């Protein structure tokens, strides 16, 4: 059986002909399909309702951000990173800033690190709320979407309050934060954090006991731990397959080692397990936020590095030296010592890693972004094979796909 | 960039590192250069042995491939630096493998037999840098359209179009 056929379009891979496979059909799903969460195109080969093969076709949202980075100063890249995984803008900012800070070997003040942790966890909650709402919507439970977006709106208001932007926040800077947070900023977060656990109970009441939800999720999209490792799956889908790995705990960054939290694991390996793991993660995020609020250290929010960090507005207007530094950073950037670093953080969807190469100038020589969705998409075939088409929708929802991060 | 002495000093300081130790026990030629910078270990390995080297590193406990990418050092030669980031869940540490590929024959063995996860990453490197991977099951463009000309992340590819 060496003969190969190329089906329907040139986009699908040639497959070997095996016996009576004339009955199969090639179905195109996306890129404008509501349940593919963006512009994911899947070419699915089906036998009746049974999925034989799923071939993801990506690149519809490719904007060449990695190329653009090479033409910008280091500090100008920060707002670009927001637009990659657009559901967790601050995590993108964090990983880029940490990478450049590692290149510069900058020490970040404790308060800035803690605020970064706090906002990073809020971002995770934001992303998980969008995931829960849209995932439930795909399965057919429309109400949950309205509930989760109500809470998400609160998070967006908090982000807007502190950074001036609801979604494309760009609040973190190389060397610290953009602004000193307002006095009542922490109170607003505390208010939100206090009500969130009962809202999570509410979602669970809506979904966990629901027979349709159970039938659509349990046993669907099975992914073994070996497959998950081999295919590069990280984050909640990996932890739902029993891989006990969380970068926040195992390779801590930005003071995460000072926080106590559990890493939820499940050995069920299915869509249901991913749902349970993410809900537990939301509860743990709430705990981390509470610890961050309770133990918030005092001090500056920017590193003491006048050649890298922009001076305060007040100083810039009154002191000649600060004015010169300000002028130099804005017009010619700051040189970063040559070298290469890889910095990874635990994002809402999994491991987010930036590989930044510097050649000693003020612009990055190369910025490579490792985003979880790109690798997780490779596991789609393993999760969908032999299942029904409707399960493909459940599986896509369960890996929490964001095309912005996959196509970059 | 690195003299022989800095390589030997780095290897001496990290001789207990599992990746270094297991590569050395297989062959002393598997590490062409070593660098320890900003707490990250970079091992330059021979391009012809990349699949073998990855297999050795994998059995040394570095179980998880994080990413495969490339850096274009145009106009220098060898031009392409194919970079592998490999993580160990057990040891909680990471090693970076680097293989230099020249521009006359920009190609290297695919490591998909070792880590299937490399599939998309190698397609991405082919798409954006034009480095071919021998033995890859499906080496097509992944991000750019199929009929795109050129490889956008090469340094001689303009950011804002040809003028």
């Amino acid at each position: 059986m060496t003969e190969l056929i190329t089906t329907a379009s040139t986009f699908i891979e040639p497959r070997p002909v095996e016996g009576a496979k004339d009955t199969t059909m090639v179905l195109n799903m996306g890129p404008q399909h509501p349940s593919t969460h963006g512009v994911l195109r899947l070419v699915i080969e089906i036998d009746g309702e049974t999925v034989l093969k799923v071939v993801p076709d990506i690149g519809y949202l490719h904007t060449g951000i990695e190329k653009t980075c090479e033409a910008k100063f280091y500090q100008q890249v920060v707002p670009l990173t927001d637009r990659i995984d657009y559901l967790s803008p601050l995590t993108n900012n964090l990983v880029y800033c940490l990478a450049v800070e590692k290149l510069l070997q900058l020490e970040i003040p404790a308060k800035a690190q803690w605020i970064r942790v706090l906002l990073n966890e809020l971002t995770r909650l934001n992303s998980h709320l969008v995931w829960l709402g849209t995932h439930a919507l795909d399965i057919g439970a429309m109400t949950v979407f309205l509930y989760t977006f109500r809470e998400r709106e609160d998070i967006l208001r908090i982000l807007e309050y502190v950074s001036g932007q609801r979604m494309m926040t760009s609040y973190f800077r190389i060397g610290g934060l953009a602004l000193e947070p307002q006095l009542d900023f922490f109170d607003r977060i505390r208010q939100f954090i206090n009500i969130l656990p009962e809202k999570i109970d509410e979602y669970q009441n809506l979904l966990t006991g629901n027979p349709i939800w159970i039938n659509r999720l349990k046993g669907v999209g099975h992914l073994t731990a070996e497959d998950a490792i081999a295919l590069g799956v990280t984050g909640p889908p990996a932890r739902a397959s029993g891989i006990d790995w969380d970068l926040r705990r195992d390779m801590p960054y930005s003071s995460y080692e000072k926080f106590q939290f559990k890493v939820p694991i499940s050995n069920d390996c299915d869509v249901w397990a991913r749902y349970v793991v993410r809900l537990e993660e939301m509860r743990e995020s709430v705990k981390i936020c509470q610890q961050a609020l309770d133990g918030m250290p005092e001090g500056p929010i920017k590193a003491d590095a006048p050649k890298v960090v922009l001076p305060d507005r007040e100083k810039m207007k009154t002191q000649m030296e600060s004015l010169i530094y300000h002028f130099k950073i804005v017009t010619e950037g700051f040189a970063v010592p040559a070298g290469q670093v890889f910095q990874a953080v635990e994002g809402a969807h999994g491991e987010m890693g930036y590989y930044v190469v510097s050649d000693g100038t003020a612009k990055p020589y190369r910025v490579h972004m490792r985003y979880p969705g790109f690798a997780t998409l490779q596991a789609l075939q393993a999760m969908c094979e032999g299942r029904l088409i409707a399960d493909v929708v459940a599986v896509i929802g369960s890996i929490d796909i964001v095309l912005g991060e996959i196509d970059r | 960039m690195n003299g022989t002495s800095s390589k030997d000093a780095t290897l001496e300081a990290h001789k207990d590192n599992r990746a270094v130790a297991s590569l050395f026990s297989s062959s002393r030629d598997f590490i062409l250069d070593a660098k320890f910078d900003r707490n990250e270990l970079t091992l330059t390995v021979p391009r012809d042995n990349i699949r073998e080297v990855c297999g050795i590193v994998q059995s040394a406990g570095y179980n998880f491939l994080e990413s495969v990418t490339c850096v274009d050092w145009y106009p220098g030669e060898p031009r392409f630096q194919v970079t592998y980031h490999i993580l160990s869940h057990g040891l909680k540490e990471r090693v970076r493998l680097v293989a230099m590929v020249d521009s006359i024959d920009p190609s290297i063995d695919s490591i998909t037999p070792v880590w299937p996860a490399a599939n998309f990453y190698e397609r991405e490197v082919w798409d954006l840098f034009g480095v071919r991977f021998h033995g890859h099951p499906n080496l097509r463009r992944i991000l750019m359209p199929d009929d795109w000309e050129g490889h956008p992340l090469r340094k001689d590819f303009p950011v804002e179009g040809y003028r």
Side-chain angles (χ1 to χ4, degrees):
Chain A
M1 295 287 176
T2 48
E3 188 195 351
L4 295 175
I5 58 160
T6 312
T7 27
S9 70
T10 54
F11 295 112
I12 191 161
E13 295 156 69
R15 63 180 174 80
V17 180
E18 287 172 47
K21 282 289 176 67
D22 303 343
T23 51
T24 63
M25 182 179 137
V26 174
L27 182 76
N28 185 56
M29 186 169 162
Q32 286 94 9
H33 190 283
S35 70
T36 55
H37 295 221
V39 286
L40 172 67
R41 175 169 175 249
L42 296 175
V43 183
I44 308 174
E45 190 188 343
I46 45 174
D47 182 4
E49 277 275 302
T50 313
V51 175
L52 299 178
K53 193 164 187 186
V54 184
V55 182
D57 181 24
I58 59 175
Y60 290 90
L61 207 58
H62 180 59
T63 47
I65 285 182
E66 290 181 11
K67 182 81 174 173
T68 315
C69 292
E70 293 171 10
K72 302 275 179 205
F73 292 135
Y74 277 94
Q75 73 270 29
Q76 289 176 318
V77 173
V78 176
L80 287 175
T81 61
D82 287 319
R83 283 142 179 90
I84 299 170
D85 177 359
Y86 43 78
L87 290 182
S88 31
L90 284 159
T91 317
N92 296 293
N93 295 167
L94 178 70
V95 57
Y96 174 72
C97 290
L98 285 175
V100 179
E101 283 156 8
K102 204 168 173 185
L103 270 173
L104 288 161
Q105 301 192 297
L106 268 188
E107 195 61 44
I108 307 304
K111 187 178 182 186
Q113 292 196 15
W114 282 57
I115 293 179
R116 283 176 173 191
V117 168
L118 177 63
L119 287 172
N120 199 18
E121 291 308 315
L122 276 183
T123 308
R124 187 185 316 278
L125 286 169
N126 172 18
S127 177
H128 280 4
L129 285 170
V130 175
W131 156 76
L132 184 60
T134 53
H135 186 33
L137 194 64
D138 289 346
I139 306 289
M142 291 190 69
T143 323
V144 188
F145 180 80
L146 304 173
Y147 280 53
T148 58
F149 269 60
R150 180 186 61 193
E151 272 71 69
R152 176 178 184 244
E153 193 57 34
D154 289 342
I155 297 182
L156 292 184
R157 288 217 182 97
I158 292 171
L159 296 185
E160 183 183 20
Y161 188 59
V162 71
S163 72
Q165 277 284 341
R166 282 157 55 85
M167 291 181 71
M168 301 300 139
T169 46
S170 301
Y171 180 61
F172 299 157
R173 292 285 187 279
I174 296 160
L177 308 174
L179 303 158
E180 182 84 46
Q182 297 89 329
L183 290 174
D184 59 343
F185 166 64
F186 297 121
D187 293 335
R188 284 179 81 145
I189 296 182
R190 200 180 286 277
Q191 262 177 17
F192 172 72
I193 289 303
N194 286 342
I195 58 152
L196 192 64
E198 50 189 87
K199 302 287 182 191
I200 300 176
D201 293 341
E202 210 170 282
Y203 313 144
Q204 263 184 321
N205 286 341
L206 277 168
L207 292 171
T208 306
N210 184 326
I212 303 173
W213 182 252
I214 296 171
N215 286 336
R216 288 294 304 275
L217 264 61
K218 277 206 170 152
V220 174
H222 196 270
L223 181 72
T224 61
E226 294 75 44
D227 280 355
I229 295 269
L231 294 167
V233 178
T234 50
R239 286 192 283 275
S241 293
I243 299 166
D244 192 6
W245 180 258
D246 188 319
L247 285 162
R248 291 175 292 171
R249 180 198 62 195
D250 296 317
M251 293 174 106
Y253 47 88
S254 193
S255 296
Y256 263 110
E257 68 277 4
K258 299 201 174 92
F259 294 84
Q260 273 83 45
F261 58 96
K262 286 203 296 274
V263 177
I265 306 285
S266 170
N267 286 314
D268 294 345
C269 309
D270 56 0
V271 176
W272 177 267
R274 286 164 219 145
Y275 158 72
V276 173
V277 163
R278 283 211 182 83
L279 274 190
E280 281 310 306
E281 255 187 43
M282 285 167 74
R283 295 187 191 279
E284 295 301 321
S285 286
V286 170
K287 281 187 208 161
I288 298 175
C289 285
Q290 258 152 4
Q291 290 172 39
L293 288 169
D294 292 341
M296 183 62 66
E298 286 303 312
I301 53 144
K302 288 174 184 171
D304 180 23
K307 286 181 181 165
V308 174
V309 181
L310 283 180
D312 290 335
R313 206 78 193 150
E314 188 56 38
K315 273 191 187 164
M316 190 264 281
K317 286 182 174 170
T318 51
Q319 295 176 12
M320 192 64 203
E321 202 187 355
S322 296
L323 180 65
I324 292 170
Y325 277 130
H326 186 278
F327 184 76
K328 282 186 77 104
I329 294 173
V330 171
T331 54
E332 51 190 61
F334 48 83
V336 172
Q340 45 187 344
V341 295
F342 186 83
Q343 174 68 46
V345 305
E346 190 71 33
H349 312 142
E351 181 188 313
M352 221 183 250
Y354 275 40
Y355 172 53
V356 184
V357 181
S358 168
D359 60 348
T361 60
K363 290 174 181 175
Y365 191 77
R366 168 96 174 97
V367 183
H368 167 71
M369 297 145 180
R370 184 252 190 251
Y371 271 89
F374 191 70
T376 310
L377 208 52
Q378 302 187 77
L380 209 55
Q381 167 73 21
M383 289 192 275
C384 297
E385 198 179 355
R387 306 291 314 187
L388 303 178
I389 301 179
D391 293 340
V392 176
V393 174
V395 167
I396 295 173
S398 79
I399 60 177
D400 194 4
I401 204 162
V402 169
L403 269 297
E405 68 167 38
I406 291 168
D407 292 346
R408 305 183 298 283
Chain B
M1 230 186 307
N2 292 323
T4 323
S5 57
S6 94
K7 172 197 165 188
D8 289 343
T10 311
L11 289 176
E12 184 57 30
H14 293 90
K15 64 176 190 295
D16 294 333
N17 181 288
R18 290 274 285 276
V20 173
S22 58
L23 283 175
F24 263 177
S25 66
S26 300
S27 163
R28 294 209 58 98
D29 301 331
F30 279 168
I31 300 178
L32 301 178
D33 196 2
K35 199 175 182 190
F36 190 73
D37 182 28
R38 296 167 173 95
N39 278 322
E40 293 183 10
L41 183 64
T42 309
L43 302 176
T44 307
V45 299
R47 136 196 200 186
D48 297 336
N49 301 91
I50 186 69
R51 197 178 288 166
E52 203 181 343
V53 165
C54 283
I56 294 167
V57 170
Q58 189 189 38
S59 38
Y62 294 81
N63 57 337
F64 190 80
L65 178 77
E66 288 181 298
S67 81
V68 179
T69 186
C70 186
V71 183
D72 182 5
W73 291 106
Y74 180 80
E77 280 293 344
R79 179 170 169 183
F80 299 106
Q81 175 197 325
V82 182
T83 312
Y84 305 82
H85 288 100
I86 302 164
L87 179 74
S88 166
H89 285 166
L91 306 169
K92 298 188 181 181
E93 66 179 25
R94 184 179 284 129
V95 66
R96 179 187 298 124
L97 298 183
V98 160
M100 301 307 290
V101 173
D102 59 53
S103 64
I104 300 157
D105 173 28
S107 66
I108 189 167
D109 281 346
S110 165
I111 60 159
T112 44
V114 185
W115 280 290
N119 188 327
F120 273 23
Y121 290 110
E122 290 182 345
R123 279 177 69 186
E124 186 188 326
V125 172
W126 154 248
D127 189 358
L128 303 178
F129 287 94
V131 175
R132 275 175 286 113
F133 290 86
H134 300 301
H136 190 283
N138 179 27
L139 197 63
R140 292 182 299 137
R141 285 190 182 273
I142 187 166
L143 294 176
M144 306 302 288
D146 281 347
D147 55 353
W148 188 265
E149 282 174 25
H151 301 282
L153 274 181
R154 286 189 173 189
K155 286 284 176 185
D156 50 359
F157 193 98
V159 181
E160 296 177 356
Y162 294 99
R163 285 166 202 267

